[in-house]
Amino acid sequence: MLRLARARCRVPFQGRPLASLAYSDTYDVCVIGGGHAGCEAATGAARAGTRTLLLTQKLKTIGEMSCNPSIGGVGKGTLVREVDALDGVMGRVADAAGIQFQILNRSKGAAGWGPRAQIDRKLYKKHMQNALLNYPNLDVRAGSVFDLVFSHAAPQAPISSSGEDVWATVDGIRLDTGELIKCTQVVLCTGTFLSGEIHIGMKRFPAGRMGDTPARGLSESLARAGFKLGRLQTGTPARLDARTVNLEGMEVQKGDADPSPFSFLNANVANKENQVACYKTHTTSETHRLVRESMHLSVHIQETKKGPRYCPSLEAKVTRFSQRDQHIVWLEPEGYDSEVFYPNGLSNSMPEELQEVMLRTVPGLENVKMVRPAYGVEYDFVDPRELTLLYQGLFLAGQINGTTGYEEAAAQGVIAGINAGLASRSSTPLVLTRADGYIGVMIDDLITRGAEEPYRMFTSRSEYRMTMRSDNADVRLTPKGHAVGVVSEGRWTSFNGERDELIRAEALLRGITLSPQGWRDHGFIVTLDGIKRSAFDMLRHPHFRSADFVNVIPELRTIHPRVLARLDVDGRYAAHLRRQDADVRLFLADESLLLQPTLDYAQVNGLSSEERERLARARPVSIGAAKRMEGMTPNGVVALLRHTKRRYVAPSAPADLQ
């Protein structure tokens, strides 16, 4: 996924000698899968200046929104803005395809804001495909990858002291047609296609998505190579004929009058004046009765694996919250020219003949007709704690790592693609920590704690959410992207222009300091406590905005309103940020103590057998990462810290990560 690591091959790959392989073409990076992770991985690798190939089963499904027709949300919207800050494509495409925009939690502080957009499915695919098919350094082909080709021609020293590990590097990919394509880096973005199986009632059939065949060869290839595979579940609700829905009496949700774009490059969204509404209804006690009585008729429930906790099926909600007699359902339009509603909240895997009966117990859906039934999906994933043990040149992104959601997939894809491209040039990787962004939080959570259930991003997962807001993703990440050469000059120029204006505006506000009576003389009602405050300090008051000071500081009229809005947030959080900066410095101190990738934990005195086993498997890159691992005791951390300080590794040492 997100770590470039030289890895041990616990089961040597069996295949023809490399000398006998005839490659049809050569690329630096091959990306497998055209979903949200694959789109970002392919464009990210291409931005790194490498010759990149995106392979997907069907060109027409590139950018497909397999489940809900929306992008963003609380936590998720910040991920989209971080992807955009690294010059990714999701934010710009969403701005072009969005048909309703909202900032969720706007009444709360900016740290909790969640940019979200309802999306026209057809427009999203159209704009995403147009972006990829015209992207520099990127070729796009239809094809199904059957196997990975590895080289064992130059084995390196094993990770453990046992001498049993064999190192391998990516040499190419094999299509189901037998064609071989040579490359040094592969990014797997298989989504739910890895040995995917659809469940509807007691029916089960192989598919990664309704109408699309699964990727079985790749799953077998990874298993043969020794990777630990697990099974996860997800699902999607039925699609409803909007003409058979009675919207009367439902709560109407409209978009923001002044929509906020996802992309920092956009001042406006394409469909600002043509936003659509969503509609709120709910399940009933009769809905729940029908669900409970049909559970024995669903193989998805009978053979349940770990499903998403935070976007659960209706069966899971009825079971988990048995005391509730209703759950919220949002009817979301799928596009301007679509007569289909997506009923968010009604995901299930009931027998098809019972689904419409259940749907008609929901207010407003008494006469509804289904366009397509709901279904569950079960698929393979790789334990993300093994991502430090991958073959050199192999990256994974998206649901294959145990995550759920378009935004989580895109965020992994942009990092995996960028680092695959950088690795092909033997360049320093792009490393994001928990203090850099939600992308770093997600990566760290996955590789240190694993994914016992599909992982979803929330603001609560971050310790530093006041510094990692959706509004400042560019300030946090665009310089990092530019430093490794994956941010375009156009974006860099735009970023510097806005950053310079933000600095100038803050200087103007800090440049005037008045007593409480002085501010009162200008019409600002403040406490007469005798403390002098600058105009910037005044922004801590929730009722004051930068624009309120234009009569005191006329130069503020020359500052763009969007910059002033950003300054409002900076001023509001200034005092809190100083305290959080101290926390970040402590965090970075632990992160700076790097652990050797070849460290033999059997030689570290004071570790328990369980801790040695966990550390040897996960191979944390730093003391900080080791502390966050499940199963690590305070005594174990002290023992590891003592051992590390005796053999201190400077932060500038080569980092086999991300």
Side-chain angles (χ1 to χ4, degrees):
M1 166 179 76
L2 311 160
R3 296 204 167 198
L4 166 63
R6 296 163 300 190
R8 56 184 183 182
C9 170
R10 286 164 288 177
V11 180
F13 183 82
Q14 302 297 320
R16 292 185 295 165
L18 288 177
S20 67
L21 300 181
Y23 290 102
S24 63
D25 208 342
T26 300
Y27 287 87
D28 299 310
V29 179
C30 284
V31 177
I32 301 171
H36 302 283
C39 290
E40 294 297 346
T43 51
R47 285 198 305 281
T50 56
R51 187 166 185 248
T52 303
L53 173 65
L54 172 63
L55 276 164
T56 184
Q57 289 186 358
K58 300 175 183 177
L59 295 181
K60 67 180 182 180
T61 60
I62 290 174
E64 183 80 61
M65 305 186 82
S66 303
C67 197
N68 54 306
S70 66
I71 295 288
V74 178
K76 289 170 170 281
T78 305
L79 284 178
V80 178
R81 301 211 89 195
E82 290 183 353
V83 168
D84 182 75
L86 294 170
D87 222 1
V89 292
M90 174 177 268
R92 281 173 283 177
V93 172
D95 287 345
I99 55 178
Q100 186 208 83
F101 291 81
Q102 277 194 318
I103 298 293
L104 305 182
N105 287 345
R106 189 183 283 278
S107 62
K108 300 181 180 180
W113 290 353
R116 183 188 185 276
Q118 201 65 35
I119 302 291
D120 184 307
R121 292 184 188 273
K122 292 180 181 177
L123 284 178
Y124 193 88
K125 281 205 300 185
K126 172 187 172 183
H127 289 295
M128 183 62 78
Q129 291 174 15
N130 183 62
L132 266 64
L133 295 174
N134 294 283
Y135 214 84
N137 300 325
L138 176 61
D139 290 343
V140 181
R141 282 183 52 185
S144 182
V145 177
F146 181 77
D147 212 347
L148 304 174
V149 180
F150 296 100
S151 168
H152 293 272
Q156 304 174 51
I159 286 179
S160 74
S161 58
S162 66
E164 297 175 354
D165 297 305
V166 179
W167 292 48
T169 59
V170 167
D171 202 69
I173 56 177
R174 188 194 312 270
L175 306 188
D176 58 1
T177 61
E179 179 184 357
L180 292 163
I181 299 174
K182 187 174 181 61
C183 61
T184 60
Q185 315 293 324
V186 168
V187 187
L188 292 181
C189 307
T190 52
T192 59
F193 283 70
L194 205 62
S195 290
E197 185 176 80
I198 282 180
H199 299 159
I200 305 177
M202 298 303 289
K203 294 190 296 185
R204 59 200 310 167
F205 52 91
R209 178 172 56 212
M210 187 68 82
D212 292 313
T213 58
R216 289 201 177 278
L218 273 178
S219 195
E220 294 166 2
S221 180
L222 289 169
R224 287 201 312 273
F227 289 102
K228 180 183 176 182
L229 301 181
R231 298 286 280 178
L232 289 175
Q233 290 181 331
T234 188
T236 190
R239 304 303 191 264
L240 311 181
D241 185 338
R243 297 168 297 185
T244 64
V245 175
N246 179 13
L247 300 175
E248 188 174 342
M250 292 188 190
E251 179 182 327
V252 180
Q253 181 195 62
K254 296 183 179 180
D256 293 340
D258 186 19
S260 299
F262 282 109
S263 178
F264 290 97
L265 292 179
N266 292 334
N268 294 297
V269 299
N271 302 307
K272 175 181 178 180
E273 305 301 331
N274 191 22
Q275 296 190 69
V276 302
C278 295
Y279 303 89
K280 182 181 178 182
T281 183
H282 56 83
T283 60
T284 64
S285 56
E286 179 65 9
T287 312
H288 300 177
R289 183 186 68 80
L290 291 174
V291 170
R292 281 192 293 267
E293 291 180 357
S294 68
M295 284 188 183
H296 68 288
L297 300 175
S298 172
V299 67
H300 201 65
I301 301 301
Q302 290 183 7
E303 300 182 9
T304 187
K305 305 295 188 296
K306 289 291 186 177
R309 177 187 300 183
Y310 304 107
C311 186
S313 67
L314 187 54
E315 293 97 334
K317 287 189 287 189
V318 167
T319 302
R320 193 178 302 157
F321 307 105
S322 57
Q323 74 281 6
R324 297 183 60 176
D325 57 9
Q326 63 177 237
H327 293 282
I328 293 173
V329 176
W330 285 103
L331 300 182
E332 303 178 2
E334 298 211 335
Y336 286 128
D337 63 351
S338 172
E339 293 181 330
V340 174
F341 272 136
Y342 175 93
N344 195 335
L346 291 179
S347 175
N348 69 88
S349 57
M350 296 171 67
E352 184 172 350
E353 64 274 14
L354 299 181
Q355 289 189 29
E356 203 165 84
V357 177
M358 178 273 293
L359 289 168
R360 291 183 174 182
T361 65
V362 174
L365 306 186
E366 292 86 355
N367 299 302
V368 76
K369 295 286 187 181
M370 283 195 314
V371 175
R372 194 188 76 184
Y375 61 86
V377 186
E378 185 177 300
Y379 55 95
D380 282 350
F381 80 108
V382 174
D383 186 338
R385 287 168 293 190
E386 296 202 343
L387 295 176
T388 53
L389 304 175
L390 299 180
Y391 295 83
Q392 186 171 349
L394 181 58
F395 297 77
L396 281 69
Q399 286 176 288
I400 191 174
N401 290 324
T403 62
T404 181
Y406 306 150
E407 304 82 2
E408 289 84 350
Q412 294 170 70
V414 73
I415 297 297
I418 286 172
N419 283 333
L422 294 173
S424 73
R425 296 163 37 195
S426 300
S427 298
T428 303
L430 173 62
V431 179
L432 300 183
T433 71
R434 298 184 73 88
D436 293 319
Y438 281 96
I439 296 177
V441 171
M442 175 173 61
I443 294 171
D444 186 71
D445 283 348
L446 289 171
I447 63 177
T448 60
R449 301 171 187 174
E452 296 300 322
E453 60 190 21
Y455 179 98
R456 180 177 179 177
M457 178 50 65
F458 290 105
T459 55
S460 58
R461 294 191 185 273
S462 171
E463 308 92 322
Y464 313 114
R465 50 187 176 274
M466 283 187 289
T467 59
M468 300 191 317
R469 309 182 306 271
S470 61
D471 66 284
N472 69 355
D474 59 338
V475 174
R476 292 184 282 112
L477 299 185
T478 299
K480 292 181 179 293
H482 185 263
V484 297
V486 296
V487 168
S488 68
E489 284 307 309
R491 180 180 289 271
W492 185 240
T493 298
S494 174
F495 167 75
N496 280 315
E498 185 152 325
R499 182 173 60 177
D500 291 346
E501 195 170 12
L502 189 61
I503 293 171
R504 184 168 73 91
E506 183 174 335
L508 288 171
L509 289 174
R510 289 186 181 277
I512 180 169
T513 300
L514 298 174
S515 66
Q517 187 58 54
W519 285 117
R520 282 192 170 230
D521 291 344
H522 286 286
F524 294 90
I525 306 302
V526 295
T527 303
L528 295 173
D529 55 10
I531 300 174
K532 289 187 174 183
R533 295 177 177 85
S534 70
F536 185 77
D537 294 332
M538 294 280 284
L539 292 178
R540 298 180 192 175
H541 196 289
H543 300 301
F544 296 151
R545 301 286 183 271
S546 301
D548 297 336
F549 296 92
V550 293
N551 291 328
V552 184
I553 312 171
E555 295 94 329
L556 288 176
R557 291 190 174 92
T558 66
I559 305 296
H560 194 283
R562 184 168 81 169
V563 174
L564 292 180
R566 295 183 66 163
L567 192 58
D568 293 341
V569 177
D570 288 344
R572 193 89 66 247
Y573 279 92
H576 304 287
L577 293 179
R578 283 195 293 270
R579 290 194 293 270
Q580 194 157 97
D581 283 344
D583 295 336
V584 170
R585 284 193 294 272
L586 289 174
F587 165 79
L588 292 177
D590 284 343
E591 296 301 296
S592 69
L593 291 174
L594 303 182
L595 298 173
Q596 289 278 13
T598 56
L599 177 60
D600 187 350
Y601 290 99
Q603 304 302 314
V604 181
N605 295 326
L607 293 176
S608 69
S609 298
E610 180 186 358
E611 288 169 330
R612 287 194 175 97
E613 182 181 344
R614 288 177 180 269
L615 288 164
R617 186 177 73 166
R619 300 226 155 255
V621 297
S622 68
I623 289 291
K627 287 172 67 175
R628 294 187 295 275
M629 286 177 51
E630 291 185 6
M632 284 300 295
T633 65
N635 287 339
V637 172
V638 170
L640 192 58
L641 185 60
R642 188 183 301 117
H643 181 89
T644 302
K645 286 188 173 180
R646 287 202 302 266
R647 299 165 176 78
Y648 177 69
V649 180
S652 58
D656 283 344
L657 69 161
Q658 290 195 307

